[in-house]
Amino acid sequence: MKYTLDREVAPNEGRIVEVLVAQNGGYEPIDPAALHSVVTNNYVRNGGDGYKMFWDGLNAYDYGPGLEVVLAEYMAEQGSYEPYLDGRISVK
């Protein structure tokens, strides 16, 4: 997913002005009627930071190790990491 935000627009007032999704080897405008999978943490899934649209009142899962444990183990297995920018977020 790639998106463009406009800092001149107030938060929660349509600041995201373009959303593209990876499809067919490139990026295409998002189809609002299409179903897209989203990966997030429990905090956001349960409506944290104002993302109430993800909260459906159900606890889809509450088992296994915490996200912080899984992430720490994965990062340890990967070795050193060099941060980089990949151009998925644009600012007007």
Side-chain angles (χ1 to χ4, degrees):
M1 177 179 280
K2 295 171 73 167
Y3 67 88
T4 301
L5 67 92
D6 185 345
R7 287 187 178 160
E8 299 294 319
V9 178
N12 299 318
E13 297 293 329
R15 192 173 240 192
I16 304 297
V17 295
E18 180 182 48
V19 178
L20 305 172
V21 292
Q23 287 199 208
N24 304 319
Y27 287 91
E28 298 178 5
I30 193 168
D31 176 358
L35 181 64
H36 298 278
S37 296
V38 176
V39 177
T40 185
N41 57 31
N42 287 348
Y43 176 74
V44 172
R45 184 189 178 282
N46 289 321
D49 281 342
Y51 290 96
K52 305 255 185 264
M53 72 288 288
F54 293 132
W55 186 75
D56 60 11
L58 300 174
N59 189 354
Y61 55 89
D62 193 10
Y63 58 88
L67 178 61
E68 73 283 0
V69 173
V70 174
L71 180 59
E73 289 175 355
Y74 173 80
M75 291 179 73
E77 290 173 6
Q78 301 305 306
S80 64
Y81 175 79
E82 185 67 35
Y84 65 95
L85 298 175
D86 61 6
R88 292 182 303 123
I89 301 172
S90 301
V91 179
K92 279 181 116 179

